[in-house]
Amino acid sequence: DTEVTQTPKHLVMGMTNKKSLKCEQHMGHRAMYWYKQKAKKPPELMFVYSYEKLSINESVPSRFSPECPNSSLLNLHLHALQPEDSALYLCASSPAGGRGTTDTQYFGPGTRLTVL
Amino acid sequence: GESVGLHLPTLSVQEGDNSIINCAYSNSASDYFIWYKQESGKGPQFIIDIRSNMDKRQGQRVTVLLNKTVKHLSLQIAATQPGDSAVYFCAENRGSQGNLIFGKGTKLSVKP
């Protein structure tokens, strides 16, 4: 298995809803990442988990809450989002736990989130 | 093929021609660079990478060139095909935490 999978592919939610995005990889990678990508823009890093511990939070609002239950799974819990949070949310993983500058990141297909 | 200036958001080439996509980076301490291809509605797909101790690396139909003197990176695609149509991002890895900094992206369109 050489891919990162994400569910759901599409999600529409209201501003008062609570939802979760899921990411899974079975490549034995030790770092996992959440990115946000707006239309026609590059991905922007949100969170990094290295060896199942949160190592980077890029000043993301608390309405986004990441969780890493084990080394293969990464969740992003969403609560009280705003319409401007609508975007493509990408998950990525890398083999070496993000340590060392040559740790290549591999991306999933993303979840297209629309907040009404 | 066409040679494009830096930060050009779009590149249109004829099928079969060679494509060159350019990228500038700002941090001279960056020592690892990756090119990603992103098709519409999909996540970025790894194409090729290069370390700062190299100036050229070749893959299947793709070549990455690194000029550290002017902090410039390029991706060359040989015999461009319609399936190559996508947005191409360069990314630099600056830190030990694996932070990837993405360039703005270039949209490649291949005309049949």
Side-chain angles (χ1 to χ4, degrees):
Chain A
D1 191 349
T2 58
E3 64 176 351
V4 177
T5 59
Q6 291 187 241
T7 55
K9 290 187 178 181
H10 302 276
L11 179 63
V12 179
M13 61 185 292
M15 289 189 284
T16 59
N17 292 157
K18 286 185 180 181
K19 296 287 184 183
S20 296
L21 309 184
K22 297 184 184 301
C23 175
E24 193 166 359
Q25 58 87 14
H26 294 288
M27 296 178 281
H29 289 182
R30 301 317 305 267
M32 297 185 77
Y33 309 76
W34 280 115
Y35 287 83
K36 175 182 177 179
Q37 186 178 26
K38 300 286 276 186
K40 300 183 180 180
K41 297 289 186 182
E44 297 178 350
L45 183 66
M46 300 174 71
F47 302 104
V48 181
Y49 273 84
S50 177
Y51 292 85
E52 300 162 51
K53 295 189 187 306
L54 183 65
S55 60
I56 294 178
N57 176 340
E58 291 286 354
S59 302
V60 179
S62 60
R63 58 185 184 268
F64 295 92
S65 176
E67 178 196 18
C68 189
N70 60 56
S71 61
S72 299
L73 295 174
L74 185 66
N75 299 320
L76 186 63
H77 302 298
L78 314 172
H79 174 54
L81 293 195
Q82 303 297 311
E84 58 265 29
D85 296 321
S86 298
L88 180 68
Y89 287 84
L90 293 162
C91 175
S93 69
S94 63
R99 298 175 183 176
T101 56
T102 59
D103 198 24
T104 305
Q105 294 181 29
Y106 298 91
F107 286 81
T111 293
R112 176 73 60 187
L113 174 67
T114 303
V115 182
L116 301 176
Chain B
E2 294 185 55
S3 178
V4 299
L6 298 178
H7 308 304
L8 190 69
T10 61
L11 171 63
S12 183
V13 301
Q14 204 71 37
E15 181 178 358
D17 285 353
N18 297 332
S19 303
I20 301 175
I21 300 172
N22 295 309
C23 180
Y25 63 95
S26 57
N27 192 331
S28 57
S30 294
D31 59 1
Y32 180 54
F33 304 87
I34 307 172
W35 280 101
Y36 288 96
K37 171 187 179 183
Q38 188 173 24
E39 297 175 88
S40 181
K42 297 184 178 181
Q45 175 189 356
F46 173 89
I47 302 175
I48 193 168
D49 58 359
I50 189 168
R51 300 184 183 192
S52 60
N53 60 354
M54 305 170 69
D55 53 21
K56 180 179 180 179
R57 191 160 187 227
Q58 288 185 289
Q60 186 177 9
R61 280 202 307 118
V62 295
T63 300
V64 55
L65 299 177
L66 176 63
N67 185 328
K68 294 181 287 294
T69 302
V70 295
K71 292 185 283 191
H72 181 256
L73 192 68
S74 68
L75 177 70
Q76 300 178 0
I77 304 174
T80 313
Q81 302 169 359
D84 295 325
S85 295
V87 177
Y88 289 81
F89 290 102
C90 64
E92 59 181 302
N93 191 327
R94 295 182 184 174
S96 60
Q97 289 289 328
N99 288 15
L100 276 185
I101 307 299
F102 282 81
K104 295 179 183 179
T106 297
K107 183 177 181 179
L108 175 65
S109 297
V110 182
K111 296 177 288 187

